[in-house]
Amino acid sequence: MPWWRGAVVYQVYIRSFCDGNGDGQGDFAGLIGKLDYIADLGADAIWLSPIHPSPNRDWGYDVSDYDDVHPDYGTLADFDALLKAAHARGLKILTDEVLCHTSDEHAWFADSRRKGAKSDWYVWADPKSDGTAPNNWLSAFGGPAWSYQPERRQHYHHKFLRQQPKLNWHNPDAKAAALAVLHFWLARGVDGFRLDVANAYLHDDALADNEAVPLAERTAAVWADAANLQHHFHDSNLPENLACLDEIRRTVEHHANRFVFGEFSEGFERSGAYAAPDEGLHSGYTFFMLRACGLSPKFIKDNFAALARHPRHWPCVSFCNHDIVRTVSRFGGGMDGDPALAKLMLALLLSIKGTVLIYQGEELGLPEVDLRRDQLKDPVGDLYYPLFKGRDGCRTPMPWDARAQNMGFSSGTPWLPLGPSHKALAVSEQEQDSRSVLHFAKRFIAVRKRSAALRSGELEFIDAPEPILAFRRTHGAESVLCVFNMSRDAVTLRDNFISGVAPAAWGHGEVTTKGSELTLGPLSSWFAHL
């Protein structure tokens, strides 16, 4: 079985993880110093946020050179040292590759703008006669998804910021150059990739307008962003996108024992998000659970109902990442943290089927940080403040030592402020408390590694009244019953399947059993061997 199937992947947002040279930015040296922490947690692999040179308009997701590393993080030699140190600890390294677009400061775009040899490597189109954009496509970061460039007397397409021009994957040379990026880093020793916006490699060459979302279908989530007011059927999410995903996977498989998974923020079924591992990428995650915020069994059941339509797909499962409000705050834990809720969500995440993606600090139960407008760095926060403050609140530095300067993240001024409520949740405090979220995470990951059913078994839901979520995971002769109380009130489940099972020792909260009755305290979990 491939190593990634059921693995635990720990996401490091490197700029906020640990600063090794005191300049306020996380770096390779700082990460090397914390590899033992990640290995001790029980992770199998590390997913690094983008490491390449970038003008940081979108903090690394606007790449200006695919063949080097950002000087804030170190040198190529430093990266090689990180690879060697991680591999020595049994940890694999996955890099975040942004191949749908580049920075407008990339040499490829400069050549394309001048109509050089790479003239058609980006998506260019003539303006309308009145000078406006070629069509109605909207940028995810606000306004038209086109910017005028007087040097060519044309507009170029950008799905995000105007400083992120879209690569033209219809051009075979541009596509080959993007695939060569993967070969370069695989040859250097990385173990695979997370692909940014993997739903958006292709666009409609005819540049047809996107259709409007009908007024009757416009929910609060649709109105939350102007780009949501249209169906993105032509600027991205084409069914033909699957062919690009398949070619990427086959490129990666030229190198043995590697893993590639994608981010699918929209158009899940249209764009190949649920493809089988031999038809698209090895795996992928959607924003279905990442956008969920109501604490109930529904978001889990609805996600797996979608997955059930694609039985050969192997999912990545995630509740949080660098783009999303932190799990504890999103599900009702506020800005101060809620250890019981954090444990519930970790137990659930580590029990469902898929390759698990844990975002740095999730194992500590960190809540979102509320930042002032003058502290924001994210262009999305600048766009929608104060209704939405962007993504900086989940990107603040890791709290390592409650007693140290800047909680041990850096001896210099951190690039983003640390969260005041994070001090009590720092690694130094939780390591000393066997009842902490951190110790719970370690224990549960260890259980998952020992259990073939939890790691790679099938998932079957069991009928149970809300707010109870119940399912079994089965692999071969091993079957594990998983039950969660997704509420802040005690609940009792009465069912014959509870009688005679062998309770497991890795649940949490106040739980009692009596015959066919199972009483779960608030935000608790219970497990048994069947």
Side-chain angles (χ1 to χ4, degrees):
M1 181 177 295
W3 68 265
W4 45 267
R5 217 171 165 92
V8 173
V9 178
Y10 186 84
Q11 183 192 354
V12 167
Y13 191 80
I14 191 165
R15 193 172 293 276
S16 292
F17 195 64
C18 187
D19 174 16
N21 63 5
D23 66 355
Q25 320 280 337
D27 49 36
F28 298 139
L31 174 54
I32 289 171
K34 300 299 183 182
L35 288 176
D36 286 339
Y37 169 84
I38 299 172
D40 188 51
L41 181 65
D44 299 290
I46 299 171
W47 151 24
L48 293 176
S49 58
I51 61 172
H52 304 306
S54 166
N56 290 333
R57 298 285 189 166
D58 190 24
W59 296 102
Y61 287 91
D62 49 328
V63 176
S64 57
D65 182 355
Y66 287 112
D67 295 341
D68 205 347
V69 296
H70 201 297
D72 286 351
Y73 305 149
T75 65
L76 279 170
D78 295 327
F79 179 75
D80 291 341
L82 169 62
L83 274 177
K84 182 177 180 181
H87 289 162
R89 290 164 173 80
L91 292 167
K92 299 184 184 299
I93 294 289
L94 311 173
T95 59
D96 201 329
E97 297 302 334
V98 189
L99 302 179
C100 284
H101 54 256
T102 71
S103 165
D104 62 352
E105 297 184 23
H106 198 291
W108 295 352
F109 186 70
D111 182 89
S112 186
R113 188 182 64 240
R114 294 190 297 265
K115 291 193 174 182
K118 298 176 178 61
S119 177
D120 192 37
W121 280 33
Y122 293 81
V123 183
W124 294 96
D126 294 333
K128 292 181 180 177
S129 59
D130 62 358
T132 55
N135 62 21
N136 75 341
W137 296 352
L138 291 174
S139 163
F141 286 1
W146 297 91
S147 287
Y148 182 66
Q149 177 49 250
E151 193 168 358
R152 280 187 62 136
R153 299 182 182 180
Q154 287 184 306
H155 282 77
Y156 64 88
H157 171 46
H158 51 88
K159 187 171 175 64
F160 299 97
L161 294 175
R162 66 175 180 83
Q163 295 91 352
Q164 293 171 295
K166 173 76 173 63
L167 272 173
N168 181 12
W169 273 65
H170 290 293
N171 180 291
D173 293 332
K175 180 176 72 171
L179 296 175
V181 172
L182 304 180
H183 278 302
F184 177 88
W185 290 99
L186 290 167
R188 199 162 196 103
V190 304
D191 300 286
F193 308 103
R194 177 265 191 185
L195 300 177
D196 191 52
V197 284
N199 54 292
Y201 289 109
L202 294 180
H203 67 284
D204 174 18
D205 241 355
L207 305 184
D209 280 351
N210 283 329
E211 301 166 14
V213 175
L215 277 171
E217 298 176 14
R218 294 185 180 182
T219 63
V222 170
W223 284 108
D225 188 323
N228 296 345
L229 300 178
Q230 58 183 219
H231 292 294
H232 292 273
F233 292 163
H234 297 292
D235 61 331
S236 54
N237 307 312
L238 275 66
E240 295 85 354
N241 190 69
L242 177 59
C244 296
L245 304 179
D246 185 75
E247 192 164 0
I248 288 171
R249 175 188 51 77
R250 286 186 282 111
T251 297
V252 170
E253 287 181 344
H254 281 296
H255 304 257
N257 205 29
R258 311 300 171 92
F259 175 46
V260 58
F261 69 99
E263 172 204 44
F264 295 85
S265 57
E266 58 190 19
F268 308 149
E269 294 193 76
R270 282 175 57 89
S271 64
Y274 300 131
D278 60 346
E279 294 175 343
L281 304 178
H282 291 131
S283 184
Y285 70 90
T286 72
F287 272 52
F288 196 107
M289 294 195 295
L290 291 171
R291 291 192 180 113
C293 55
L295 187 62
S296 82
K298 186 177 184 329
F299 84 98
I300 297 292
K301 289 185 174 181
D302 286 352
N303 183 65
F304 278 87
L307 289 170
R309 296 193 291 272
H310 307 273
R312 293 185 60 227
H313 173 68
W314 180 266
C316 285
V317 290
S318 177
F319 293 163
C320 183
N321 64 30
H322 63 289
D323 284 331
I324 302 296
V325 172
R326 282 193 175 272
T327 304
V328 167
S329 296
R330 211 169 76 250
F331 284 95
M335 297 295 190
D336 294 322
D338 184 334
L341 177 60
K343 290 178 182 179
L344 174 72
M345 300 310 289
L346 281 167
L348 179 56
L349 179 64
L350 291 161
S351 297
I352 56 181
K353 177 184 175 181
T355 294
V356 173
L357 310 178
I358 292 181
Y359 180 49
Q360 65 182 50
E362 200 169 357
E363 77 280 8
L364 303 175
L366 295 185
E368 190 81 352
V369 177
D370 189 17
L371 299 172
R372 301 189 311 267
R373 185 169 194 175
D374 63 292
Q375 295 172 320
L376 302 181
K377 308 284 190 181
D378 182 16
V380 181
D382 184 63
L383 179 66
Y384 286 120
Y385 184 94
L387 184 63
F388 177 55
K389 296 185 177 182
R391 301 164 292 180
D392 292 320
C394 68
R395 298 177 175 182
T396 57
M398 273 282 286
W400 292 104
D401 188 342
R403 293 168 294 281
Q405 179 183 355
N406 297 318
M407 297 186 210
F409 165 71
S410 174
S411 59
T413 302
W415 80 288
L416 280 174
L418 283 102
S421 64
H422 290 185
K423 188 171 186 178
L425 301 173
V427 173
S428 62
E429 307 309 292
Q430 296 205 36
E431 283 184 332
Q432 300 177 52
D433 181 1
S434 61
R435 300 166 301 174
S436 70
V437 178
L438 176 59
H439 276 278
F440 178 79
K442 289 180 180 180
R443 289 194 295 270
F444 211 111
I445 291 172
V447 166
R448 180 184 171 91
K449 284 193 163 187
R450 293 194 300 268
S451 169
L454 291 180
R455 192 173 61 252
S456 55
E458 293 303 313
L459 184 150
E460 178 186 1
F461 288 105
I462 297 171
D463 286 338
E466 290 201 18
I468 295 172
L469 175 67
F471 53 82
R472 65 172 59 90
R473 299 290 311 280
T474 303
H475 185 275
E478 183 188 7
S479 189
V480 176
L481 174 63
C482 311
V483 185
F484 307 86
N485 176 11
M486 300 185 72
S487 79
R488 296 181 181 275
D489 299 310
V491 293
T492 297
L493 176 64
R494 297 174 179 87
D495 201 297
N496 288 333
F497 71 76
I498 297 167
S499 302
V501 299
W506 62 79
H508 80 288
E510 299 177 5
V511 182
T512 59
T513 58
K514 183 178 180 181
S516 60
E517 285 190 355
L518 171 66
T519 300
L520 299 107
L523 304 175
S524 60
S525 64
W526 181 79
F527 301 86
H529 299 283
L530 295 176

